[in-house]
Amino acid sequence: SCALEIAQQEKESGMHFDWLVMGTGSTGTQAGLVAGFQACGREMPVMGVSVRQPRERQVAAVHKLTNATLEKLGYPILAPSSIHVDDGYVGEGYGIPADSTLEAISLTARSEGILLDPVYSAKGMAGLIGLVKQGFFKPTDNVLFLHTGGATALFAYEETLLASQSSS
């Protein structure tokens, strides 16, 4: 449904996205988007920024669920090369904010007024920022970031967030 909504909004607005970037953990959202874009005929690569495990394991897990979804819906399965994952922002592990996570929270809150959670969305945003800095995207690419919620988790990280602000 999310992939279809994005494709419909692109069509209605005349906007075209070249990439979608998001945090990926249990694989459901990324696999659903990849399968959804395939099912609605919209070829948009989805870059999942892993929040918990190495790239190879995350790609395999997303690929498995994507193809199970596509098979259930009656669509052709995809090759593993269709799954994009960056694992450079996991840090020490799931639910443990890396420095880049804390920087993404602060930057996005200050510059956009958007709150990111330290478990998923902030690691995804850290990945997006890092990919831009590395020149991964072409200068002409339009990149859509998917914020999957979780801002209420910020309260559980109050001490970590305050400490990061006082050290910067």
Side-chain angles (χ1 to χ4, degrees):
S1 293
C2 183
L4 181 59
E5 181 179 338
I6 291 168
Q8 286 174 335
Q9 287 184 12
E10 278 183 309
K11 187 176 181 179
E12 291 168 6
S13 69
M15 174 71 78
H16 173 83
F17 293 106
D18 300 291
W19 283 88
L20 184 145
V21 176
M22 56 170 292
T24 184
S26 62
T27 74
T29 304
Q30 185 177 6
L33 284 165
V34 173
F37 285 133
Q38 176 73 8
C40 70
R42 174 64 175 92
E43 292 185 24
M44 184 190 316
V46 177
M47 173 62 76
V49 179
S50 182
V51 301
R52 68 183 192 133
Q53 62 185 356
R55 180 187 178 283
E56 295 76 24
R57 287 179 44 204
Q58 192 69 15
V59 166
V62 172
H63 183 249
K64 180 179 177 183
L65 184 55
T66 299
N67 282 339
T69 304
L70 287 169
E71 283 182 312
K72 187 167 185 77
L73 297 173
Y75 289 93
I77 63 171
L78 298 174
S81 60
S82 300
I83 307 302
H84 306 280
V85 172
D86 186 329
D87 65 356
Y89 303 88
V90 173
E92 293 181 38
Y94 182 80
I96 304 170
D99 288 344
S100 61
T101 310
L102 299 171
E103 290 167 10
I105 290 170
S106 179
L107 176 67
T108 307
R110 283 186 287 111
S111 63
E112 302 297 331
I114 298 172
L115 300 178
L116 302 173
D117 75 282
V119 180
Y120 278 88
S121 292
K123 286 188 179 186
M125 181 60 76
L128 173 57
I129 293 166
L131 290 165
V132 169
K133 286 180 179 178
Q134 295 164 25
F136 177 85
F137 303 109
K138 294 181 282 191
T140 57
D141 282 347
N142 284 321
V143 180
L144 175 63
F145 178 75
L146 181 66
H147 186 320
T148 55
T152 56
L154 287 167
F155 296 107
Y157 291 85
E158 181 179 8
E159 289 180 26
T160 302
L161 294 166
L162 289 172
S164 75
Q165 292 304 304
S166 65
S167 66
S168 54

